[in-house]
Amino acid sequence: MKMPLVAKASACVFGFFLFLKLGLPLFTSPLPYSVLAMYMILVLISTLLYVSIFEDDYSNFYLPIVKFLRGDEGDNAVRKMSRIAVFVMIPLFMGFRTYKSVQPNFEPPFPQRVIHPAPPGSAAGFVNPYGGDEANHEKYVQEGRKVYYENCVFCHGDKLDGKGFFANALNVKPANFADPTTISMLQESFVFWRVKTGGIGLPEEATPWDSAMPRWELILSEEERWKAVMFLYDYTGWKPRTWELDAE
Amino acid sequence: MLNSLLNKSWLKALPLLFLAVVLLFGWTPLVAADEEHDDAAPTAETAEENALPTDDLAAGKMIYEKLCISCHGIEGDGDGPAAVRFQPKPRSFKKAKYKYRTTPKGKLPTDEDLFRAITLGLPGTGMPDWADVLSEKKIRQVIKYIKSFSDEWEKQESSPHVVTVGTVVPTSPESVERGKKQFTALGCQLCHGTEGRGDGPTASALKNHRGDPVYPRNLNKNWLFRGGGKAEDIYVRVNTGLSGTPMPEFSGALDNEKSWDLANYVRSLSPEKTPERGSLIKARSIEETIPVDPDDPIWQEGEPTWFPMMGQISFEKRLFTPSVTDITVKSVFNEKEIGFLLIWDDRSKSKTSKPGAKKISFTDQVAIQFPEKLQPGGVKKPYFIMGDEKLGVNLWNWTSEDNRFFETNAYGVWNNSEVEQSGSDISGKGYYKNGQYRLVIKRSFQTSDSEKDIQFEKGIFYPVAFFAMDGTNGEKGSQRSITPWYFVFMEPEEDKSVYYYPPIVIALVFGLEFILVKILKKNHKKENV
């Protein structure tokens, strides 16, 4: 038996919706609502275009709907009931949506927080003084370990996963260095800048008033800060992002 | 006939299209904030997976020297770099005194005990749960290596007695009541306090085997029990004690049923579920004057909001071992005033020590922090620890020793900028009982000094943060427990128009449907003519 065009069209729209909503998140991060809405409008318009492009198709598509809405004398009880149900459900649903949208919705001001803001120009000049010294690398890393475990471990954690025992008290969660999207995506100079000036040194789009990252230049020497950065990369096994890699 | 239908059909399809869009996406505008998604990612596994030695001891050494030395030290004597600031100190595997065991006090733990501690970690300490990083095999290899630090292991008797949890006595009011009697009969309250908040009369004098002060556990916060917060964990603990600490083993005094009763009682002191970190304090509207008595029935009502606290470690002097771990807050408001009830646990009511005293202590203190002024848009705030040079904060303080309420303004920690206001607009009442402070602070919405004092209105989100200081723990000035910014909100009276719109919309849509069907029927009749 041939599938009615209406069923085909709705299956197509619904199938796309399911794919975008449930299928896609299996491979990548879930779509934001606005993007999902945009895709679905495109799907809907193309479907309607498809069914209305030929006259035959169009009447095949349109007539069953018209018949359903109009109601025919020969309709059986099921058809009648579902017709009434549709006519009652739509206004109720619209009323509900209206209630939801006019209902006072108190949401705290929500800043669009930039996680990796552009560092100030001065940050580009930070160069690791121990960078080329391969012979003493291990020594510096061990000194960095000491700095980390005397200062950073409380928030960033023993596993460098941002789950130190103070972490739950914080609103902006401490960075998880083990995560492939943190220090491995950043240049050493950027990481150093973040350590040096801390949360309070962030530009306004990164909500400096909320970040608990201390301004370590007040507490640690420049040498200690570089060694701590070296320890982060050594422990996690990540390599800092470099200009050479970018150029490739 | 069909042609006429088709000519008009585009028009007719429009309401359908419209309905379809609405049904799919609802009425909300097609813009919404991006949902945040978890950035949970597996911890980087060591690359040398394949190159691991086949010998268990050598493999354990390799893992140990990568993951464990920072706290426990390369020689296993618990003096890694973290030992400097951790309290309690990391375990020394050389001394081999283990707190969390199933074996009698003073005896070595079983391999399973060590396995448990490594897998689950010790909550509230620097020891994390390693299960997501290390496989069971690797943990067993590390255990083998850890044991090689001490020859105590070779000296021990072949199979130590192990406490096993007997037939479960499920928790019940009767069991809890019997457990409470056990608690008193065994003298638990001498250290842990009458209500179990670690505030017993002997609590402040306790030392461990190293001579460091140790604090009896606050039994009201089972999520911080190092050896686990379930009743069966407590069962094992009371039977085995904690080696190297004054916590005795009560196995001689407890049979299976008594152990369960005591465990059920201790478990009942903590909430059933670990509280969740709040983000917004929703103040409750009341008609009456805000009562300053923390025990007033008005303060019994309403949902509390819970905020974990951390030590202030951004500016010298820093606090790495805070005593106050969390604070519970309620808020109410009437037409003129807003009030807060703050509840937090503190091991002792502190007094300022006399000059030259051996142990220095200060008064206990708490503060509620607001911005001096709200910034346009409400997003920008002063720096969360005591503000900054550009944006100041307004603090409502209370000190327990002299029961004093006073307001201050601050513009940064680093420049000692906190200034006390000459007059105070806040009032309230607080008291200390059984290891817990309960305090009410209130103020009128508006004050005469709108430059230095935050001014309140209903329907606006106000940033708010909390500070607490335990004077006996040496906390004063920048050494304090802190929270980040949260919000407090007073909901305005409901606007009745909310209930007018939905019926209007329902009527309109129904009308449209009616017209649509009418048109369809009319066309149909025409076609049939």
Side-chain angles (χ1 to χ4, degrees):
Chain A
M1 204 182 94
K2 245 185 99 182
M3 218 174 151
L5 196 55
V6 186
K8 260 194 217 165
S10 6
C12 170
V13 172
F14 192 64
F16 253 101
F17 179 74
L18 280 186
F19 169 71
L20 293 174
K21 187 79 195 170
L22 304 173
L24 216 56
L26 297 179
F27 308 106
T28 170
S29 47
L31 287 179
Y33 185 80
S34 48
V35 176
L36 181 73
M38 233 144 61
Y39 281 147
M40 283 316 296
I41 289 177
L42 284 179
V43 170
L44 203 66
I45 290 175
S46 348
T47 312
L48 287 173
L49 271 179
Y50 175 80
V51 297
S52 57
I53 214 156
F54 298 109
E55 282 190 8
D56 278 1
D57 282 350
Y58 185 58
S59 47
N60 277 345
F61 173 77
Y62 189 59
L63 274 175
I65 300 177
V66 170
K67 269 188 188 160
F68 178 76
L69 292 179
R70 188 177 61 205
D72 278 335
E73 265 139 51
D75 281 355
N76 59 20
V78 177
R79 251 183 105 85
K80 272 185 187 157
M81 287 308 286
S82 42
R83 183 166 170 263
I84 292 169
V86 166
F87 279 120
V88 172
M89 293 297 283
I90 291 175
L92 283 184
F93 180 74
M94 298 288 284
F96 174 72
R97 299 301 312 201
T98 313
Y99 173 71
K100 278 282 178 199
S101 65
V102 294
Q103 190 192 34
N105 184 17
F106 298 113
E107 290 286 340
F110 180 73
Q112 294 290 332
R113 189 168 186 274
V114 179
I115 297 182
H116 298 314
S122 59
F126 297 138
V127 181
N128 185 351
Y130 309 113
D133 191 355
E134 283 306 316
N136 290 312
H137 181 81
E138 184 56 26
K139 177 174 158 273
Y140 298 136
V141 166
Q142 290 309 329
E143 285 164 6
R145 179 192 289 270
K146 189 167 150 57
V147 174
Y148 182 88
Y149 278 89
E150 285 178 10
N151 297 281
C152 321
V153 67
F154 304 93
C155 296
H156 294 286
D158 188 22
K159 293 186 286 189
L160 280 67
D161 56 0
K163 292 185 184 151
F165 54 80
F166 283 164
N168 190 35
L170 291 167
N171 228 344
V172 176
K173 290 286 165 231
N176 173 358
F177 303 125
D179 185 283
T181 65
T182 60
I183 53 172
S184 70
M185 313 248 297
L186 300 168
Q187 293 172 33
E188 226 177 359
S189 64
F190 184 97
V191 177
F192 181 79
W193 166 65
R194 292 289 282 111
V195 174
K196 178 181 157 81
T197 60
I200 209 165
L202 288 166
E204 226 158 79
E205 68 266 24
T207 70
W209 46 84
D210 279 334
S211 164
M213 177 71 173
R215 187 176 153 195
W216 288 108
E217 62 184 336
L218 297 179
I219 294 169
L220 299 174
S221 70
E222 183 169 340
E223 290 75 23
E224 287 172 318
R225 281 179 263 134
W226 273 116
K227 286 168 187 168
V229 171
M230 288 170 80
F231 170 71
L232 299 186
Y233 282 110
D234 183 84
Y235 184 102
T236 56
W238 306 122
K239 294 275 171 289
R241 194 168 169 182
T242 61
W243 289 114
E244 292 84 69
L245 277 174
D246 284 354
E248 269 171 28
Chain B
M1 193 172 66
L2 192 66
N3 272 350
S4 74
L5 173 85
L6 280 175
N7 288 341
K8 283 184 189 167
S9 57
W10 262 116
L11 267 178
K12 288 172 195 159
L14 276 178
L16 269 182
L17 179 67
F18 174 73
L19 273 180
V21 170
V22 168
L23 284 175
L24 268 174
F25 305 111
W27 203 236
T28 37
L30 300 181
V31 273
D34 290 9
E35 296 128 79
E36 261 186 54
H37 33 85
D38 255 11
D39 53 356
T43 311
E45 262 288 45
T46 41
E48 58 264 35
E49 183 81 31
N50 299 327
L52 272 182
T54 44
D55 169 27
D56 278 351
L57 193 66
K61 180 174 194 282
M62 204 159 173
I63 299 163
Y64 181 88
E65 289 183 355
K66 164 123 178 100
L67 300 176
C68 314
I69 55 168
S70 306
C71 299
H72 298 286
I74 194 131
E75 305 287 338
D77 42 15
D79 66 346
V84 178
R85 295 204 168 115
F86 275 5
Q87 190 59 257
K89 300 285 175 216
R91 212 71 336 228
S92 160
F93 300 128
K94 269 193 177 152
K95 290 209 173 91
K97 279 208 188 319
Y98 293 88
K99 285 184 182 171
Y100 310 104
R101 315 159 327 278
T102 52
T103 56
K105 189 170 177 182
K107 293 273 188 272
L108 291 166
T110 63
D111 280 10
E112 287 319 300
D113 295 340
L114 296 175
F115 185 81
R116 188 202 146 97
I118 297 170
T119 314
L120 302 178
L122 304 179
T125 77
M127 176 73 180
D129 50 332
W130 288 100
D132 59 341
V133 175
L134 294 173
S135 62
E136 176 171 354
K137 187 178 166 205
K138 285 182 176 174
I139 293 178
R140 303 243 174 244
Q141 289 168 334
V142 174
I143 291 174
K144 196 156 190 184
Y145 184 65
I146 285 171
K147 288 165 77 171
S148 74
F149 283 121
S150 166
D151 49 14
E152 294 286 320
W153 296 94
E154 283 149 37
K155 288 189 252 165
Q156 73 170 331
E157 316 125 54
S158 51
S159 55
H161 173 73
V162 171
V163 170
T164 45
V165 175
T167 319
V168 180
V169 179
T171 189
S172 65
E174 298 75 38
S175 169
V176 166
E177 194 50 45
R178 291 194 300 268
K180 191 175 179 179
K181 289 204 179 96
Q182 289 292 333
F183 188 83
T184 319
L186 293 172
C188 306
Q189 76 284 1
L190 294 176
C191 296
H192 291 285
T194 320
E195 290 177 16
R197 294 200 185 86
D199 60 318
T202 63
S204 59
L206 302 177
K207 299 242 184 317
N208 67 8
H209 65 288
R210 294 174 183 234
D212 295 332
V214 300
Y215 303 103
R217 186 71 30 234
N218 180 340
L219 302 177
N220 288 231
K221 300 178 197 293
N222 74 326
W223 57 95
L224 294 177
F225 291 5
R226 310 324 191 203
K230 296 206 268 303
E232 55 257 46
D233 302 324
I234 302 165
Y235 180 114
V236 174
R237 209 56 54 230
V238 294
N239 274 288
T240 61
L242 299 175
S243 300
T245 83
M247 170 72 186
E249 53 181 342
F250 291 104
S251 50
L254 297 169
D255 57 17
N256 179 55
E257 199 191 341
K258 284 179 178 169
S259 300
W260 272 113
D261 290 342
L262 184 55
N264 287 336
Y265 170 65
V266 171
R267 178 63 189 84
S268 77
L269 295 172
S270 298
E272 220 158 290
K273 275 170 72 183
T274 304
E276 273 183 42
R277 190 168 69 97
S279 58
L280 169 66
I281 305 161
K282 271 194 181 154
R284 193 165 61 83
S285 170
I286 59 169
E287 303 284 323
E288 305 88 333
T289 312
I290 297 176
V292 290
D293 180 5
D295 293 327
D296 191 281
I298 281 186
W299 288 114
Q300 311 293 319
E301 286 168 52
E303 281 301 301
T305 315
W306 183 80
F307 301 115
M309 302 188 94
M310 64 177 280
Q312 191 285 114
I313 54 170
S314 291
F315 305 100
E316 297 290 5
K317 284 178 163 180
R318 295 181 281 169
L319 174 68
F320 295 96
T321 52
S323 142
V324 183
T325 55
D326 53 80
I327 190 163
T328 302
V329 183
K330 282 186 185 183
S331 177
V332 295
F333 68 100
N334 57 26
E335 280 308 303
K336 296 195 302 273
E337 313 169 289
I338 180 166
F340 294 87
L341 171 70
L342 310 183
I343 304 169
W344 73 101
D345 288 2
D346 185 316
R347 297 188 280 257
S348 59
K349 186 171 178 176
S350 313
K351 279 205 181 81
T352 307
S353 53
K354 298 205 172 66
K358 215 159 73 187
K359 192 175 184 305
I360 294 171
S361 72
F362 310 100
T363 174
D364 292 328
Q365 189 172 339
V366 75
I368 312 179
Q369 174 182 272
F370 301 99
E372 274 183 357
K373 278 201 196 86
L374 279 193
Q375 298 303 307
V379 167
K380 197 173 171 181
K381 298 169 207 157
Y383 187 58
F384 79 105
I385 313 173
M386 310 284 280
D388 52 76
E389 288 103 336
K390 286 184 203 128
L391 300 177
V393 291
N394 177 205
L395 295 146
W396 299 359
N397 305 278
W398 179 70
T399 46
S400 69
E401 196 172 25
D402 46 4
N403 189 30
R404 196 163 78 89
F405 292 84
F406 60 102
E407 284 179 82
T408 54
N409 292 83
Y411 309 89
V413 185
W414 54 91
N415 45 13
N416 285 320
S417 60
E418 194 171 6
V419 185
E420 188 172 337
Q421 295 184 5
S422 50
S424 170
D425 305 297
I426 56 170
S427 61
K429 191 180 159 189
Y431 71 85
Y432 179 83
K433 194 183 164 194
N434 288 334
Q436 187 170 67
Y437 276 108
R438 297 175 91 88
L439 169 74
V440 170
I441 302 188
K442 65 170 185 173
R443 210 204 70 185
S444 55
F445 288 167
Q446 308 291 323
T447 68
S448 53
D449 189 355
S450 60
E451 285 298 307
K452 298 280 181 215
D453 293 341
I454 179 89
Q455 307 291 308
F456 289 103
E457 266 174 63
K458 288 181 221 172
I460 290 178
F461 287 87
Y462 291 93
V464 62
F466 300 90
F467 300 132
M469 288 173 240
D470 174 5
T472 316
N473 197 33
E475 297 174 22
K476 192 196 182 184
S478 63
Q479 290 191 300
R480 52 177 67 193
S481 284
I482 63 171
T483 74
W485 284 122
Y486 294 105
F487 284 108
V488 59
F489 181 74
M490 294 177 273
E491 198 164 310
E493 287 83 32
E494 202 173 39
D495 185 357
K496 291 282 179 288
S497 69
V498 171
Y499 299 104
Y500 302 156
Y501 293 117
I504 296 175
V505 169
I506 291 176
L508 272 174
V509 176
F510 203 78
L512 282 174
E513 281 180 353
F514 191 75
I515 294 169
L516 178 74
V517 173
K518 266 272 148 84
I519 294 174
L520 290 177
K521 284 203 166 161
K522 215 170 153 188
N523 281 342
H524 186 57
K525 257 187 200 155
K526 267 194 216 155
E527 285 161 28
N528 286 349
V529 169

